[in-house]
Amino acid sequence: MKDYLESIKSRDPAAKSILSIILTYPGVKAVLFHKIANFFFVAGFDLIARIISQTARFFTGIEIHPGAKIGKNLFIDHGMGVVIGETSEIGDNVTIYHAVTLGGISPSIDSERQRHEKRHPSIGNDVVIGSGAQILGPVKIGNNSRIAANAVVVNDVKGNATVIGIPAKEIKVGNKGTFKPYGVDDKVKDEK
């Protein structure tokens, strides 16, 4: 737990202390609730798992399906409006800003068939997802990638890439694994 909280402090200049993170960060609470909900989901107690996840949503504004697989040190900054779907997979040391969706595609069409297939994104390690970004379908986001604010990702993103726009396209920036809040910095060069 201490490593998790320290990882958040290292990524957020507004974090003044571990105590403030514990008491005031909704993303921390949502991740902790998810661990409990996921335990019940894996054990086959779906209804209890969903009740726990919906309780967390009520208190935090962050909805994480109990079936989502989350690696270590997920930091959901601000968090309001974040939705993480059932078959989502999130690697280690990922940062997600508010209003991000890791969603499925065509959820109301042939629902029975979709219950048994991968419908949501797989996010690699050390990825930053900017506010308002929508990552839709069973796409793969490579390690150290940056998804810019409000980007709509519907295709795979290779590692160490930065994508922007609707639909998201790769651009050249010097991120190469460094932390870039909201996915981009002031040296954006659009490759058209």
Side-chain angles (χ1 to χ4, degrees), residues 26-67:
V28 170
K29 294 172 184 68
V31 169
L32 294 175
F33 269 109
H34 173 72
K35 289 182 182 300
I36 298 165
N38 181 257
F39 170 82
F40 284 104
F41 185 83
V42 170
F45 296 100
D46 295 348
L47 181 59
I48 293 171
R50 288 303 301 241
I51 290 169
I52 292 167
S53 72
Q54 291 302 298
T55 301
R57 178 180 181 232
F58 177 80
F59 285 110
T60 66
I62 299 166
E63 182 171 346
I64 306 173
H65 191 285

Side-chain angles (χ1 to χ4, degrees), residues 2 17 19-20 58 71 108 114 130 133 139 148:
K2 187 173 191 288
S17 70
L19 183 60
S20 72
F58 177 80
S108 63
Q114 291 187 54
V139 298

Side-chain angles (χ1 to χ4, degrees), residues 44-172:
F45 296 100
D46 295 348
L47 181 59
I48 293 171
R50 288 303 301 241
I51 290 169
I52 292 167
S53 72
Q54 291 302 298
T55 301
R57 178 180 181 232
F58 177 80
F59 285 110
T60 66
I62 299 166
E63 182 171 346
I64 306 173
H65 191 285
K69 296 177 182 166
I70 296 177
K72 67 179 183 174
N73 300 331
L74 171 62
F75 177 30
I76 303 173
D77 196 4
H78 303 290
M80 185 59 73
V82 168
V83 176
I84 299 173
E86 177 181 18
T87 62
S88 296
E89 298 175 47
I90 301 173
D92 298 338
N93 306 308
V94 171
T95 302
I96 297 176
Y97 287 91
H98 54 282
V100 166
T101 300
L102 304 183
I105 52 175
S106 302
S108 63
I109 301 168
D110 195 10
S111 294
E112 190 57 41
R113 179 185 56 79
Q114 291 187 54
R115 282 186 180 86
H116 309 291
E117 66 181 39
K118 174 96 166 117
R119 307 182 311 280
H120 301 92
S122 295
I123 311 298
N125 298 324
D126 303 298
V127 172
V128 178
I129 304 173
S131 63
Q134 308 296 299
I135 305 175
L136 305 173
V139 298
K140 294 181 181 178
I141 308 301
N143 294 340
N144 301 308
S145 292
R146 305 295 180 252
I147 311 300
N150 294 314
V152 177
V153 180
V154 292
N155 295 304
D156 291 351
V157 174
K158 67 183 184 182
N160 296 303
T162 298
V163 297
I164 66 170
I166 304 170
K169 294 185 178 7
E170 184 176 355
I171 59 166
K172 300 291 181 194

